[in-house]
């Protein structure tokens, strides 16, 4: 039996053990707090060092998962509309799992709850919340949840989502505090990364503007400069397609001069109406026009199909001064990529405005050079008329008067022939003077505009507007007389469709490579009847034969008629 003395010795020993255990637990807690603070500081520093926005977002998600010991973590970026997620960065889920789950969430359920109410949200079981409506197939099971908003300059940028605390524990208030602290640091890091990204973008836009201005002012071809505008705008904005369209004189239409990227051939040479295309609306309104999905936009004509695989798009006028836009640049991203933000559209509009100024300066320089050339031609013509012709005329008169005194018959004939040669030379010089004074443009409309006008005039008779594509230097490589034949054949072909084909679609392609002119007119009608009249086709064939070309008729796989009329671009 224990004596009183032994009991007194044992009781202090028990108290000492309890005190030591409590001290150890407090030391462990302090060490844990120290380690957690150290981890938080490391996370803040790691996130703050990153200047690339995508990498910064990745670092934030990874740091959050480590700090609260969560198995899964995600960062959802809220889109421009403030209601949906435009991007989703995850940790803990493999690429194979993501592929099986399907598209990233847009912000419904619990994720949407945090978007609607940007306050910390901690749940012991996700499924018990009223906003929860389950997970998609192949999604890993998740119960515990912690969500906090990330603010950038008092604006909610996105939300951190953390699930499944390891060891089956619940997220506690310390987890909330740590995550909120990280969210503050993340907001600063995101702001810095965005500012850095904006400065880099601004620098790239400035370089592109300088490159375009230099190309224009150094005498670069207009087509080369337009291609440069499309290429640089597409590269900087990360687009899959970039196109530039210019107005066609006296037609009320736009022609796509340049297209680079996905299905560029389907766009290049298209003639667009002002009310059935994004580019036409941007030109007529002199303001940017955006589309969340260009394949589903009612403002875009379905024919010809040309936007497969593309999604967000924007059309921006090139210049909006007193003279109106000089053209339109269209940019389109692949389906599923982010829409064009207001900042991107504004920057693109500024870039297009600078390009318009450079184009105007280049045109003024070209006009000044043309005036100088015309003045020089006028001086040459004046000198030829006042000096050369007068002296030749005087020489001819002298020879003619001297011929009366020449008795040798052969010599007299030679002098007479010399006088005739001088008269012929004077006629040639006068013709040259006339050419010098009248050269520099006749004011006649080019083949492109004439062809568009013919198609436009045929549309009311057809009952629909044919699609038009043009390729090559039609206004410079095709002589006037051949252009007249092309316009006549095009008019005859469209008239035949209206009279006999019973079609609801027609496609016109007019192209030249400098050696040959090719006109293709295709419809989806009933085809050419075996016993039908062929006077119109015979006329087209005769025109082609006169110019050394040929007429080809065929039937496409989808039915109808395919007419191809081709002739050399130059006679001889």
């Amino acid at each position: 039996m224990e004596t009183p003395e032994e009991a007194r010795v044992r009781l202090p020993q028990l108290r000492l053990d309890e005190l030591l255990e409590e001290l150890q637990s407090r030391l462990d807690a302090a060490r844990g707090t120290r380690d957690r603070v150290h981890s938080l500081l490391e996370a803040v520093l790691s996130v703050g060092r990153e200047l690339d926005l995508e990498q910064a977002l990745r670092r934030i998600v990874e740091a959050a998962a480590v700090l609260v010991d969560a198995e899964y973590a995600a960062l959802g970026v809220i889109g421009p509309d403030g209601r949906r997620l435009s991007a989703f960065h995850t940790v803990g889920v493999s690429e194979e799992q993501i592929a099986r789950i399907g598209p990233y969430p847009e912000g419904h359920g619990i994720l949407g709850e945090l978007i609607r109410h940007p306050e910390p949200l901690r749940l012991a079981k996700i499924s018990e919340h009223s906003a929860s409506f389950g997970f998609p197939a192949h999604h890993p099971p998740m119960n515990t949840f912690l969500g906090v908003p990330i603010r950038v300059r008092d604006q909610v940028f996105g939300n951190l989502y953390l699930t499944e605390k390891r060891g089956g524990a619940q997220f506690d208030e310390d987890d909330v505090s740590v995550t909120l602290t990280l969210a503050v640091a993340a907001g600063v890091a995101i702001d810095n990364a965005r500012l850095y990204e904006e400065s880099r973008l601004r620098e790239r836009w400035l370089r592109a503007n300088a490159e375009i201005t230099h190309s224009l002012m150094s005498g670069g071809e207009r087509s080369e400069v337009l291609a440069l505008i499309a290429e640089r705008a597409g590269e900087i904005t990360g687009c899959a397609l970039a196109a530039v369209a210019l107005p066609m004189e006296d037609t009320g239409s736009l022609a796509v001069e340049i297209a680079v990227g996905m299905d560029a051939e389907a766009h290049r040479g298209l003639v667009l109406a002002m009310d059935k295309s994004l580019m036409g609306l941007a030109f007529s309104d002199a303001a940017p026009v955006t589309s969340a999905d260009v394949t589903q936009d009612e403002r875009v004509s379905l024919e010809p199909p040309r936007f497969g695989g593309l999604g967000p798009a924007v059309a921006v006028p090139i210049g909006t001064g007193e003279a109106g836009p000089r053209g339109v640049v269209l940019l389109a991203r692949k389906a599923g990529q982010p829409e064009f933000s207001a900042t991107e559209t504004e920057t693109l509009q500024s870039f297009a405005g600078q390009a318009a100024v450079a184009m105007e300066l280049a045109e003024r320089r070209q006009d000044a050079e043309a005036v100088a050339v015309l003045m020089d031609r006028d001086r040459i013509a004046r000198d030829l008329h006042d000096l050369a012709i007068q002296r030749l005329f005087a020489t001819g008169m002298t020879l003619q008067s001297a011929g009366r005194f020449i008795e040798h018959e052969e010599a007299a004939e030679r002098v007479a022939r010399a006088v005739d040669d001088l008269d012929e030379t004077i006629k040639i010089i006068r013709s040259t003077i006339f050419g010098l004074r009248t050269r520099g443009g006749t004011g006649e409309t080019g083949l492109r505009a004439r062809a568009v006008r013919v198609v436009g005039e045929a549309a009311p008779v057809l009952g629909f507007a044919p699609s038009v594509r043009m390729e090559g230097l039609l206004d410079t490589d095709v002589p006037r007389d051949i252009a007249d034949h092309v316009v006549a054949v095009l008019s005859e072909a469209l008239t035949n469709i209206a009279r006999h084909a019973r079609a609801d679609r027609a496609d016109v392609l007019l192209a030249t490579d400098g050696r040959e002119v090719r006109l293709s007119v295709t419809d989806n009608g009933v085809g050419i009847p075996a016993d039908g009249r062929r006077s119109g086709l015979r006329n087209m064939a005769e025109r082609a034969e006169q110019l050394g070309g040929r007429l080809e008729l065929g039937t496409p796989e989808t039915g109808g008629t395919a007419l191809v009329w081709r002739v050399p671009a130059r006679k001889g």
Side-chain angles (χ1 to χ4, degrees), residues 17 105 226 239 394 417:
D17 290 341
L226 293 177
C239 291
R417 283 200 301 270

Side-chain angles (χ1 to χ4, degrees), residues 299-494:
R299 297 170 294 179
V300 179
S301 60
L302 298 177
E303 298 294 341
R306 57 194 185 279
F307 288 113
L310 297 174
V314 61
V316 177
I318 301 176
T320 56
E322 294 180 0
R326 293 177 170 271
V328 181
V329 58
L330 171 76
L331 300 174
R333 288 173 173 152
K334 288 184 178 179
Q337 290 190 341
E339 298 177 26
F340 287 88
S341 65
T343 302
E344 285 181 308
T345 303
E346 183 179 346
T347 306
L348 182 59
Q349 191 172 11
S350 176
F351 168 73
Q354 292 293 327
V357 171
M359 291 170 69
E360 183 173 356
L361 289 174
E363 288 176 7
R364 295 290 176 87
R365 178 181 58 80
Q366 291 172 357
D367 290 344
E369 291 176 352
V371 169
V373 169
L374 291 173
M375 291 177 65
D376 198 41
R377 286 176 176 172
D378 191 59
R379 179 187 59 78
I380 294 171
R382 187 171 57 252
D383 290 345
L384 286 172
H385 181 272
D386 295 344
L387 299 175
I389 286 182
Q390 299 302 327
R391 296 192 66 176
L392 287 172
F393 186 74
T395 302
M397 292 291 290
T398 301
L399 288 173
Q400 194 173 21
S401 61
R404 295 196 297 268
F405 302 102
I406 300 175
E407 296 180 356
H408 194 282
E409 185 177 349
E410 186 175 349
E413 289 179 359
R414 288 186 179 183
V415 171
R417 283 200 301 270
V419 172
D420 292 340
D421 289 343
L422 286 173
D423 287 341
E424 190 65 30
T425 302
I426 290 172
K427 291 179 181 178
I428 293 172
I429 293 175
R430 281 179 172 161
S431 176
T432 302
I433 292 171
F434 180 78
L436 286 171
R437 285 179 170 167
T438 58
R439 194 174 303 162
T442 61
E444 295 175 345
T445 307
L447 176 56
R448 282 175 174 266
R450 293 176 68 192
V452 172
R453 190 178 296 113
V454 168
V455 173
E457 291 171 353
V461 181
L462 289 166
F464 59 88
S467 70
V468 184
R469 284 183 57 191
M470 300 189 189
E471 299 175 359
L473 303 175
L474 294 165
D475 291 341
T476 56
D477 285 353
V478 182
R480 173 73 188 192
D481 54 347
I482 295 179
D484 291 341
H485 286 286
V486 172
V487 172
V489 171
L490 175 58
S491 178
E492 182 71 30
L494 293 176

